[in-house]
Amino acid sequence: MVIKVFLATSSGSTAIKKKQQEVVGFLEANKIDYAQMDIASNEENRMWMRENVPGDKKPTNGIPLPPQIFNEEGYCGDYETFFDAKEDNRVFAFLGLAPPPGSKSNADDDQEDQENKEDDDELPVSEEEEDQPVTEDEEDAPVTEEEEEEEDEEKEDDLEAEDEAEDES
């Protein structure tokens, strides 16, 4: 499968040039096979691109601006959808490609999300367990923000109790 990037090699717009460079740069950096389809010098490319961008993806004037990205004949999207996919680390799915070996797949992400959720579900601690002595391993373990807040609250409660006891005497 070859990714086709429709672009204008002689565009007068700096914004369009930057967007085209970003798409092409990403594809090159990730060693993704692609073909640059110039719409400025090749009327067939321009007409093909305009005819194959879905109607709901065309701007109000009806003429889509480069870069437009296709996987063979299938429309992937324009720069904005490419950028969103890149921000969400979903470019390979956006392009209709399998993720490269060693990268996370959607299944890996879903499994990791589930594992993180399970880690967040803490079991309540009984008073008996709270009174157990701390082991060396537990003592060396880093303290979480939640534990620090609990300790601070306990210290404040202890200070308040001492102040009340002094006031009563």
Side-chain angles (χ1 to χ4, degrees):
M1 286 190 219
V2 174
I3 301 301
K4 296 178 183 176
V5 181
F6 287 82
L7 42 82
T9 54
S10 61
S11 174
S13 167
T14 306
I16 288 176
K17 286 180 185 177
K18 285 182 179 180
K19 290 175 181 179
Q20 292 175 161
Q21 288 172 342
E22 187 172 340
V23 171
V24 169
F26 180 87
L27 296 173
E28 287 177 353
N30 287 280
K31 296 177 176 64
I32 297 171
D33 289 334
Y34 72 98
Q36 292 186 24
M37 312 300 284
D38 188 13
I39 63 169
S41 65
N42 186 319
E43 186 65 27
E44 285 180 25
N45 286 344
R46 180 184 339 207
M47 295 309 295
W48 192 93
M49 180 192 82
R50 288 182 178 176
E51 290 170 6
N52 288 282
V53 171
D56 62 327
K57 302 294 183 182
K58 291 182 182 178
T60 52
N61 69 2
I63 301 171
L65 297 174
Q68 296 292 328
I69 307 161
F70 290 80
N71 184 334
E72 295 294 337
E73 309 298 313
Y75 183 69
C76 297
D78 59 5
Y79 172 79
E80 280 72 26
T81 51
F82 166 80
F83 181 82
D84 291 343
K86 185 176 162 191
E87 289 293 305
D88 295 337
N89 289 326
R90 301 277 184 230
V91 176
F92 288 93
F94 164 78
L95 295 172
L97 301 173
S103 69
K104 287 186 168 185
S105 67
N106 290 343
D108 291 342
D109 289 344
D110 293 344
Q111 183 178 357
E112 186 176 295
D113 289 345
Q114 182 63 33
E115 288 171 1
N116 287 341
K117 183 184 180 304
E118 289 170 3
D119 289 345
D120 290 343
D121 296 338
E122 293 182 16
L123 297 174
V125 178
S126 70
E127 286 183 32
E128 189 176 296
E129 289 173 323
E130 262 185 24
D131 293 337
Q132 296 295 320
V134 177
T135 66
E136 284 183 32
D137 291 340
E138 291 173 327
E139 200 170 278
D140 294 340
V143 178
T144 65
E145 285 182 37
E146 205 172 271
E147 291 172 330
E148 282 182 17
E149 288 174 8
E150 286 177 12
E151 286 178 14
D152 289 344
E153 287 175 13
E154 287 175 9
K155 287 178 185 175
E156 286 177 20
D157 291 345
D158 290 345
L159 288 174
E160 286 176 13
E162 286 177 17
D163 288 345
E164 286 176 13
E166 285 178 12
D167 289 346
E168 289 176 5
S169 45

